[in-house]
């Protein structure tokens, strides 16, 4: 299937502004777009509060796999109830069959916008501790995120300090319970090449330890100001994750923290 160009999708999404979905959610502005859908800032007319609404791209409604994946994101998100995971409020379909997912509206920045240079180690530790709490909650509920990256870690400012929210469980693997039938199988690669674990890069089965590797990549970027492996060639990136050792972190990073990141970036899952 030939997909529309991003600017065409953006234009189509902007044409929806001002409309109300399901009689409750008024679409006020376009926040962003991804491969599966557009994300809007919307207003819940009944609760009188702003929400984030993710709407499946129109052309994907005829793609059973994409619809099933969107449904799986909703099923994954519905399992989560933790301060460090984005909260899901609603899920439904429009009159023309487009799925949508409603989440709490967040104000802040994602790590991709924050990490423009090395961050102080104490700040890295505080943020990563919260990511680990969110991941522990997801893993305890049978979910492997499989796309941990800077763009999916959102940081909110608050009176009590920075607060982290994990976003986008769109390719999460449901390990057990309702919805555990898999859309993916060994040999098919899902995720973002810059952050993939070696086993994910090989298209093998993944578990919670794959998320830990991806978090190691995130930590490396936070402490060094750059990702451990760079490049435009996706296959070359995957080979790097499989066989190359990551560059050393700066000596200014405490040794205990350097060793922690190296353990997360171990090639073998059992060594993480």
């Amino acid at each position: 299937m030939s997909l529309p160009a991003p600017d065409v999708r953006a234009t189509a999404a902007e044409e929806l502004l001002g409309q109300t979905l399901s009689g409750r959610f008024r679409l006020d502005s376009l926040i962003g777009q991804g491969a599966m859908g557009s994300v809007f800032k919307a207003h819940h007319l009944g609760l009188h509060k702003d929400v984030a609404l993710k709407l499946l791209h129109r052309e994907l409604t005829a793609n059973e796999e994409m619809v099933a994946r969107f449904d799986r994101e909703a099923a994954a998100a519905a399992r989560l109830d933790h301060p460090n995971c984005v909260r899901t409020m609603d899920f439904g379909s429009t009159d023309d069959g487009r799925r949508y997912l409603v989440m709490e509206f967040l104000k802040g920045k994602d790590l991709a916008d924050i990490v423009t240079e090395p961050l102080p180690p104490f700040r890295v530790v505080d943020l990563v501790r919260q990511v680990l709490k969110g991941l522990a909650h997801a893993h305890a509920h049978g979910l492997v995120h499989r796309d941990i990256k800077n763009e999916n870690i959102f940081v909110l400012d608050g009176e009590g300090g920075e607060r982290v929210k994990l976003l986008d469980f769109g390719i999460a693997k449901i390990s057990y319970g309702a919805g555990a039938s898999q859309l993916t199988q060994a040999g098919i690669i899902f995720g973002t090449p810059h952050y993939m674990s070696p086993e994910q890069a090989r298209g093998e089965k993944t578990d919670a330890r794959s998320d830990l590797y991806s978090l190691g990549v995130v930590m490396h970027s936070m402490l060094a100001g750059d990702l451990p492996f760079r490049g435009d060639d996706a296959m070359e990136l995957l080979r790097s994750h499989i066989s190359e050792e990551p560059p050393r972190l700066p000596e200014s990073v405490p040794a205990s923290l350097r060793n922690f990141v190296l353990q997360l970036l171990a090639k073998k899952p059992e060594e993480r």
Side-chain angles (χ1 to χ4, degrees):
M1 179 178 63
S2 178
L3 299 180
D7 56 340
V8 174
R9 280 181 164 175
T11 299
E14 289 170 354
E15 290 176 352
L16 296 173
L17 297 181
Q19 296 188 25
T20 299
L21 300 187
S22 300
R24 288 177 293 165
F25 305 107
R26 187 188 67 226
L27 305 182
D28 289 343
S29 62
L30 180 64
I31 299 173
Q33 289 193 302
M36 291 181 64
S38 301
V39 180
F40 297 87
K41 178 182 178 182
H43 190 74
H44 193 302
L45 299 178
L47 297 178
H48 304 290
K49 66 183 298 184
D50 291 332
V51 296
L53 186 146
K54 184 174 184 179
L55 181 66
L56 185 68
H57 292 310
R58 185 183 303 279
E59 71 274 5
L60 297 183
T61 57
N63 186 316
E64 292 183 0
E65 181 181 353
M66 288 299 177
V67 172
R69 190 184 299 178
F70 198 90
D71 289 349
R72 182 173 60 178
E73 177 177 2
R79 291 178 173 223
L80 304 177
D81 183 15
H82 190 274
N84 298 123
C85 297
V86 65
R87 185 165 59 90
T88 299
M89 301 173 61
D90 204 349
F91 173 67
S93 298
T94 63
D95 292 339
D96 59 357
R98 297 177 69 181
R99 298 288 206 279
Y100 64 83
L101 179 63
V102 183
M103 299 160 284
E104 60 180 322
F105 181 72
L106 305 176
K107 295 180 180 180
K109 295 181 178 179
D110 62 39
L111 275 185
D113 290 329
I114 292 172
V115 181
T116 57
E117 60 184 8
L119 302 183
F122 70 87
R123 187 182 183 190
V124 173
V125 170
D126 178 60
L127 295 174
V128 169
R129 182 182 291 116
Q130 295 183 60
V131 174
L132 286 169
K133 288 179 179 179
L135 279 178
H137 177 75
H139 295 162
H141 286 75
L143 295 176
V144 182
H145 190 289
R146 298 201 299 174
D147 200 20
I148 293 295
K149 57 183 178 181
N150 288 348
E151 290 84 352
N152 284 338
I153 298 172
F154 200 85
V155 181
L156 296 78
D157 292 325
E159 294 182 1
E162 293 180 314
R163 189 156 52 97
V164 164
K165 292 275 189 177
L166 291 180
L167 307 179
D168 201 353
F169 283 79
I171 61 170
K173 174 183 175 182
I174 302 177
S175 303
Y176 58 80
S181 59
Q182 293 302 307
L183 294 173
T184 58
Q185 56 189 348
I188 299 178
I189 296 175
F190 291 91
T192 304
H194 287 89
Y195 297 83
M196 280 187 182
S197 67
E199 61 272 24
Q200 199 173 3
R202 288 190 291 262
E204 299 172 352
K205 291 183 178 180
T206 57
D207 57 25
R209 296 169 295 184
S210 183
D211 284 345
L212 295 182
Y213 181 93
S214 299
L215 180 58
V217 176
V218 169
M219 286 193 70
H220 189 287
S221 76
M222 297 169 77
L223 293 166
D226 199 7
L227 296 167
F229 303 115
R230 278 283 185 186
D232 297 324
D233 187 323
M235 294 309 298
E236 186 61 35
L237 282 169
L238 299 184
R239 283 192 289 269
S240 297
H241 285 297
I242 292 170
S243 60
E244 290 186 22
E245 292 303 317
R248 288 180 58 84
L249 287 167
E251 292 297 323
S252 57
V253 177
S256 58
L257 199 52
R258 294 201 306 269
N259 291 335
F260 181 73
V261 174
L262 282 176
Q263 186 173 0
L264 290 179
L265 291 176
K267 302 299 183 185
K268 298 179 180 179
E270 62 270 20
E271 295 179 357
R272 291 175 205 146

